[in-house]
Amino acid sequence: MKRINTPVGTRFGRLVVIGDAASNKAGQGMFVCRCDCGTEKIIMGRLLRNGVSRSCGCLLKENPGGAPTHGMSRSPTYSSWAKMKNRCLSPGHHAYASYGGRGIRVCERWMVFENFLADMGERPSFDFSIDRIDNNGNYEPGNCRWATRSEQQRNKRKRIRKAPNITRRALTDAQVIEILSDVSNGRHYGYAAEKARELGVSAETVRAVVARKTWRHIRVA
Ligand SMILES: [Zn+2]
């Protein structure tokens, strides 16, 4: 991944970058910053550059209950975060029974929007929502990712449905004769699939016999 340069000494509000830190789990660059109040804190470079983080948190403390300072309250990411909290924490929410009501929690860390953003990264677009990998697990790092609705449906099905148990094996001469005589007596819609289940082979195998593409040496009188 290309690392965007955030040089030591750069100022973002009250914060001054004083060094590099290890990237977070999502591979995003993190920086050690010193706030004008004297506190040192590790902050995601992206949050510095887009103006979300402008202090160690002291600005927010000085402005309790004031307007959000992260500047993202209209973003898809913020909307997802707010809805997640409502589903789990507001008994009046229409979907509360499927979330908070059955014990799904938002972890302590994610009660703060900036932490949620740092762990999840930005929501790619409104087409994406938070997918809990374990549907009975909580909203917490390691159990969540951004996914589209169709990705989530696919993953759910994969978790539930096992591969169909089709044994692919060759037909015996007798079975081929059976198929061919069925055909000469007239066959109904869905015959191939039905016969395939009966014989434990794929429908393609039966269709190939019917079309006389395979087992051509066998003839029925
Ligand atoms: Zn500070």
Side-chain angles (χ1 to χ4, degrees):
M1 186 186 286
K2 191 182 157 202
R3 181 139 184 185
I4 303 158
N5 194 25
T6 304
V8 167
T10 310
R11 175 173 283 276
F12 300 94
R14 291 186 180 180
L15 298 165
V16 176
V17 178
I18 59 171
D20 274 344
S23 299
N24 69 3
K25 270 196 224 158
Q28 290 155 314
M30 306 291 284
F31 297 90
V32 185
C33 299
R34 185 180 296 123
C35 185
D36 287 345
C37 72
T39 309
E40 286 183 11
K41 201 179 170 188
I42 292 171
I43 297 173
M44 197 203 288
R46 180 171 203 148
L47 298 183
L48 294 170
R49 290 187 298 270
N50 65 15
V52 171
S53 289
R54 297 181 298 140
S55 77
C56 68
C58 57
L59 261 178
L60 205 64
K61 276 179 212 141
E62 289 166 16
N63 180 28
T69 53
H70 50 70
M72 288 186 74
S73 39
R74 287 166 186 272
S75 71
T77 316
Y78 188 87
S79 151
S80 240
W81 173 77
K83 285 179 189 159
M84 164 188 79
K85 287 204 309 169
N86 277 334
R87 289 193 294 271
C88 296
L89 299 164
S90 309
H93 189 276
H94 64 89
Y96 179 79
S98 309
Y99 294 89
R102 67 176 188 97
I104 308 295
R105 308 250 170 273
V106 177
C107 71
E108 198 60 41
R109 177 174 161 77
W110 282 8
M111 294 304 286
V112 177
F113 174 69
E114 282 82 351
N115 292 340
F116 172 78
L117 178 61
D119 294 341
M120 287 287 285
E122 280 184 52
R123 182 178 173 191
S125 76
F126 279 108
D127 295 333
F128 286 75
S129 58
I130 309 166
D131 180 29
R132 269 170 310 129
I133 294 154
D134 171 4
N135 194 46
N136 295 317
N138 291 330
Y139 286 98
E140 60 194 8
N143 193 40
C144 294
R145 61 183 164 196
W146 296 118
T148 62
R149 186 172 291 272
S150 58
E151 277 169 356
Q152 295 191 33
Q153 295 301 334
R154 257 201 311 280
N155 289 333
K156 238 170 237 166
R157 279 199 298 274
K158 245 189 238 162
R159 279 169 228 151
I160 293 161
R161 198 202 287 164
K162 291 200 172 119
N165 189 20
I166 291 175
T167 318
R168 287 181 184 274
R169 60 180 180 85
L171 296 163
T172 62
D173 285 9
Q175 288 171 331
V176 173
I177 290 165
E178 206 179 301
I179 293 169
L180 293 173
S181 56
D182 282 351
V183 168
S184 65
N185 292 331
R187 64 204 151 89
H188 56 279
Y189 179 79
Y191 168 80
E194 208 173 277
K195 196 72 184 172
R197 271 197 299 277
E198 183 192 319
L199 300 175
V201 296
S202 74
E204 281 316 303
T205 303
V206 175
R207 283 192 201 103
V209 172
V210 171
R212 304 266 37 203
K213 285 180 184 163
T214 54
W215 298 86
R216 288 166 66 167
H217 62 285
I218 293 181
R219 306 195 179 277
V220 273

